Amino acid sequence: MSGKIIKHSRNTEKAPLNAFSTQSVAFSHYNNISAQLPVNPVTGEIISADIKEQAKQCLDNIKAIVESVGHIMSDVVKINIYAINITELAAIDEVYATFFQGYPPVRTSLAVAALPMQGARVQMDALISNGEGTHPQAPCDLVKVAGNTPNAPQSPFSTQTVAFSHYNNIGAQLPIDPTTGNKVMGGIKQQTKQCLKNIKAILESIDVPFDDIVKLGIFVRNAADVDAVNDVFKTFFPDSAIARAVGYVPARSVVVTSGLPMDALVQIDAVVSHGDGTPPQAVEDRHGIIIKARNTNDAPTSALYTQTVAFSHYNHISAQLPVDPTTSEIVKGDVKAQAEQCLQNLKVIVESIGHVMDDMVKINIQLKNIDDVDVVSEVYKTFFNGDLPARTVFGVSDIPMSALVQIDAVISNAEGTPPQA
């Protein structure tokens, strides 16, 4: 790993252990928590078929991990909820609300086709603030800055924007008109436009340029809608003259869901660079810390995303399909061959910027068939020499290009981006 800041990987027996992931992986001022299933850590089994009890167990497991590293639940910045049935979200919310006093984290909720353990109806992962940093950073009393604007939809279960240190997370935006609180009329293009308008309104409310987005998550109900989503996407990015001059677009992942809140066709969340930091960090020129966006021809390229977007001490890698960069086609073979190609694409991207696979702090794996998880995991572990990253795995109804697997990642970036040392 470059530089002196180190990754801190930890497990606790108070939450379920997994041979293919680390429960908590901290780096600099953030800590990534692996997806937690409704598993009793003592028995290793799903605790119940009741959705409320399952939701509570997921959150109890997250809480146990958070407390094991000296933090509390109010340090949670973002939660992702993966449910089998989106109609059970209301029941999940009843439990969820009891775990957060003061303000709720930003949140993304979606229905998935399957989860890694039979009988699981929900799983959750999390990102937490880490004010003490990781060695040799000195602890700093950084504060979270959470906010909402009436110019975008509000929810009692998700704050629109939560900034900590040099990053800002935006909760998933549904195609809701904030003036009416209703889903916009029309099809996928109208809904996509409203989602992006809501994100833009949130960023404008905190005086952050739209082109400060480093990663987007796009969640669609139908794979056939992706082209229409892209048509709208291209009218929003690049946003500024500077970004257009260099052709900058964020990293991104596209997920085909089994359902979304309010029966929406699309929702979009975002990770945003936050150059001025949060108090007591000194306010800098917003572009003093720069975004470093790069592509390599040794991995698949696209005009719709940048392969790797670094900012400060983190780097976001776009979702990689099992595409051979020399042919631009899905590799021949089964899920094992496809998983290896996805990971090889990630490895090439990571190495093109002077990093190694062990710099990864979080991996997200989508599978067309959840029964393939063991095969994919066996391939997966061969790409790492040290502690494994935090990880989230879920099944989807479809993947772009009819692939069997898709993988994205977040990596540590110890050298930072200029002018940091």
Side-chain angles (χ1 to χ4, degrees), residues 13-321:
E13 292 182 353
K14 294 181 179 180
L17 298 167
N18 186 311
F20 299 106
S21 67
T22 303
Q23 293 170 349
S24 159
V25 181
F27 185 81
S28 189
H29 293 305
Y30 279 95
N31 196 324
N32 297 266
I33 309 297
S34 286
Q36 295 301 302
L37 288 159
V39 171
N40 181 318
V42 176
T43 66
E45 297 177 353
I46 300 292
I47 53 110
S48 163
D50 181 78
I51 187 60
K52 288 186 179 181
E53 291 183 16
Q54 288 203 7
K56 183 177 185 300
Q57 187 66 57
C58 292
L59 288 159
D60 279 340
N61 290 342
I62 288 174
K63 186 178 181 186
I65 295 167
V66 168
E67 291 179 348
S68 76
V69 295
H71 282 265
I72 55 176
M73 288 295 277
S74 61
D75 290 335
V76 175
V77 170
K78 181 176 184 182
I79 290 250
N80 294 307
I81 298 177
Y82 309 89
I84 292 295
N85 189 339
I86 200 66
T87 63
E88 293 185 327
L89 187 58
I92 293 168
D93 284 341
E94 287 184 38
V95 178
Y96 184 86
T98 66
F99 278 79
F100 299 101
Q101 282 71 46
Y103 87 102
V106 304
R107 195 175 83 168
T108 296
S109 304
L110 60 145
V112 297
L115 292 169
M117 287 186 71
Q118 188 173 7
R121 294 163 68 181
V122 63
Q123 79 172 358
M124 304 181 198
D125 64 17
L127 178 70
I128 71 172
S129 57
N130 190 51
E132 66 270 26
T134 52
H135 184 79
Q137 293 175 316
C140 182
D141 293 327
L142 295 172
V143 300
K144 285 196 301 287
V145 178
N148 290 307
T149 172
N151 296 326
Q154 299 190 36
S155 167
F157 303 108
S158 177
T159 302
Q160 292 169 354
T161 165
V162 179
F164 186 79
S165 188
H166 288 123
Y167 271 93
N168 195 324
N169 290 269
I170 308 298
Q173 294 302 300
L174 289 160
I176 297 172
D177 180 340
T179 62
T180 65
N182 297 325
K183 186 171 63 180
V184 295
M185 302 293 289
I188 186 64
K189 288 192 174 183
Q190 290 83 359
Q191 290 198 16
T192 303
K193 183 177 181 181
Q194 187 65 52
C195 292
L196 290 166
K197 283 176 64 178
N198 290 341
I199 290 174
K200 196 163 192 177
I202 294 167
L203 294 184
E204 288 174 349
S205 75
I206 56 174
D207 193 29
V208 172
F210 203 57
D211 282 318
D212 280 3
I213 294 172
V214 296
K215 175 75 183 290
L216 284 169
I218 300 175
F219 306 88
V220 297
R221 278 241 313 277
N222 303 303
D225 285 339
V226 172
D227 287 343
V229 170
N230 289 337
D231 287 342
V232 178
F233 180 87
K234 287 183 285 190
T235 68
F236 279 80
F237 297 95
D239 182 61
S240 65
I242 294 172
R244 285 191 291 273
V246 298
Y248 172 70
V249 286
R252 76 172 198 174
S253 295
V254 177
V255 178
V256 181
T257 74
S258 299
L260 292 169
M262 296 184 70
D263 202 29
L265 298 175
V266 61
Q267 74 176 0
I268 304 175
D269 65 15
V271 181
V272 182
S273 61
H274 190 66
D276 46 356
T278 54
Q281 290 173 323
V283 176
E284 305 172 52
D285 170 54
R286 182 168 300 282
H287 295 286
I289 302 175
I290 65 168
I291 290 173
K292 292 187 74 172
R294 285 179 285 192
N295 290 308
T296 172
N297 290 329
D298 294 328
T301 58
S302 171
L304 296 167
Y305 63 78
T306 303
Q307 291 169 350
T308 164
V309 180
F311 183 80
S312 187
H313 289 129
Y314 274 91
N315 196 321
H316 293 77
I317 311 294
S318 288
Q320 294 300 301
L321 289 162

